[in-house]
Amino acid sequence: MGWIGKLLNGGDDKNKPAPLTAAAAPEETRQPASITEIDAMYYRWLAAAGSAQAPEQTEQQILDELVRLAREPIAGAALVPRIPAIIPQLMRTLQDENMSAAKLSAQLAQDVLLVAEVYREANRPCYQSRYNASPSINNMEGAIMLLGQNGMRMLLARVAFRPIVSMQSGGLTVRTAPLIWRQSEKCALAASLVAPTMHANAFDAYLAGLMANVGLVVAFRLIDQMHAPDVFPQSDAFIAQVFAHARILSVRIAELWEFPQSVTRAIGLAGVDANADADPQAQALALGERLSKLRMLADSGRFPADDPFVTAGLGKSELQVFDKLADDDE
């Protein structure tokens, strides 16, 4: 996987989850929700946690296994599929500023699924309206020109990562994997949109958004395998530790795959509430994670999109990105 690094460089409050409705405090005085609060709500929604609480011993066994995988990232990486073989060749072509649409089209033709993805992307309403394109793009070179170099890079990154969260090993994983992937896509988009204002690299922010949840997918596979049917691990302390250890595992796997240091560093630092001194890439990723998780919760009907829990601390531009993440707008 050495190609990927070469090509892409360029107040705890006992972890209490936030309520699902607006807080009693006036919106203008409400403090932004902490990462711990958002993660706890997001976890319980993902898992549809409604059964009895699992014993502390079960929770600790799951956490111990996550720690072991973080110490042995090769074992953790073995739990996720390899990136499709054609992707490195395509990414090399896309690194060339003078790339030929004809050459890229010929390479894409080797994978029928990639061809379908490119056509689907080029025919999305956002591209049609943005460039006043014809109602339907059915020529590969035309689709490539419409998407542009950066659009193609992001499309291939999504396609490369999609198998990582499509694993199916049990009922919990089957239900959560598609949701985690959807949030990953939203996170990547949000992080890339806010990156320029933070003087961060937009594509690195996009990659970090896609990569940040790899450890969480592994965590849910472990939970699937290790919890009893009639109980579920969902204590506040457990949830906080799951996200912390899953993030470390994401970093370790990203390092193993030789991602740029800016990407791995961003994933590691984004787990702490961003402040003025934070790494720009980490700030972009942290905001992308916040916006995407809140968007998923709002779209699922957990609370209104204009609830103070969502809007507190967000400026006009950030709320615009939040609106762009809505399902109906994709």
Side-chain angles (χ1 to χ4, degrees):
M1 300 298 292
W3 60 270
I4 206 161
K6 298 176 183 176
L7 292 174
L8 303 180
N9 274 319
D12 181 20
D13 196 25
K14 296 186 178 179
N15 299 326
K16 188 179 298 180
L20 297 182
T21 56
E27 182 175 353
E28 61 271 15
T29 63
R30 175 174 173 79
Q31 293 297 311
S34 69
I35 289 176
T36 300
E37 290 177 307
I38 295 173
D39 282 350
M41 186 182 295
Y42 180 64
Y43 173 94
R44 292 189 172 103
W45 169 71
L46 272 178
S51 57
Q53 167 65 38
E56 182 178 348
Q57 180 181 5
T58 299
E59 292 188 335
Q60 191 57 53
Q61 289 173 344
I62 295 171
L63 293 175
D64 288 345
E65 183 62 12
L66 270 177
V67 171
R68 184 189 72 80
L69 290 176
R71 288 198 306 263
E72 303 173 15
I74 293 178
L79 297 177
V80 295
R82 294 181 180 274
I83 289 176
I86 189 63
I87 298 296
Q89 180 185 4
L90 293 169
M91 293 296 284
R92 280 193 293 270
T93 299
L94 285 167
Q95 287 298 108
D96 182 1
E97 295 297 331
N98 299 312
M99 74 169 191
S100 162
K103 179 180 178 181
L104 186 58
S105 177
Q107 292 175 343
L108 282 165
Q110 301 176 47
D111 191 316
V112 65
L113 293 180
L114 282 178
V115 170
E117 286 285 349
V118 172
Y119 279 133
R120 185 179 71 84
E121 184 76 2
N123 283 290
R124 286 177 59 194
C126 64
Y127 279 103
Q128 297 294 309
S129 60
R130 187 184 310 168
Y131 300 107
N132 296 316
S134 59
S136 179
I137 299 293
N138 54 20
N139 175 277
M140 179 54 61
E141 291 186 34
I144 292 171
M145 297 302 293
L146 179 65
L147 296 177
Q149 187 176 31
N150 198 50
M152 285 296 300
R153 290 172 77 195
M154 291 186 175
L155 171 63
L156 291 175
R158 287 204 310 274
V159 172
F161 277 80
R162 188 170 297 156
I164 290 175
V165 291
S166 66
M167 301 174 299
Q168 298 184 358
S169 61
L172 180 63
T173 308
V174 169
R175 184 172 69 251
T176 59
L179 298 174
I180 293 175
W181 172 242
R182 191 160 185 78
Q183 185 256 318
S184 297
E185 288 187 304
K186 291 179 186 290
C187 177
L189 175 59
S192 69
L193 290 175
V194 303
T197 63
M198 299 174 178
H199 305 289
N201 181 280
F203 190 58
D204 279 1
Y206 192 87
L207 287 173
L210 291 178
M211 186 69 196
N213 275 334
V214 171
L216 186 61
V217 174
V218 174
F220 269 103
R221 291 196 72 187
L222 293 178
I223 294 170
D224 216 353
Q225 297 166 2
M226 299 176 68
H227 86 280
D230 55 339
V231 295
F232 193 79
Q234 53 186 304
S235 71
D236 292 343
F238 173 79
I239 294 174
Q241 289 297 304
V242 161
F243 277 91
H245 292 313
R247 184 174 297 276
I248 293 172
L249 182 55
S250 293
V251 172
R252 297 291 180 264
I253 295 176
E255 290 173 341
L256 183 66
W257 287 351
E258 299 185 41
F259 271 75
Q261 186 178 10
S262 59
V263 173
T264 59
R265 176 179 170 83
I267 297 171
L269 293 178
V272 180
D273 281 311
N275 54 59
D277 299 322
D279 175 86
Q281 294 292 151
Q283 281 187 306
L285 177 58
L287 183 53
E289 290 186 321
R290 170 183 291 270
L291 293 173
S292 59
K293 289 174 182 176
L294 290 173
R295 184 78 258 179
M296 294 289 288
L297 292 168
D299 286 346
S300 70
R302 292 291 168 173
F303 46 69
D306 60 354
D307 191 290
F309 184 80
V310 174
T311 59
L314 298 181
K316 181 180 179 180
S317 62
E318 293 160 342
L319 289 172
Q320 289 175 340
V321 173
F322 177 79
D323 289 340
K324 289 181 180 180
L325 301 182
D327 287 337
D328 290 342
D329 294 334
E330 293 190 345

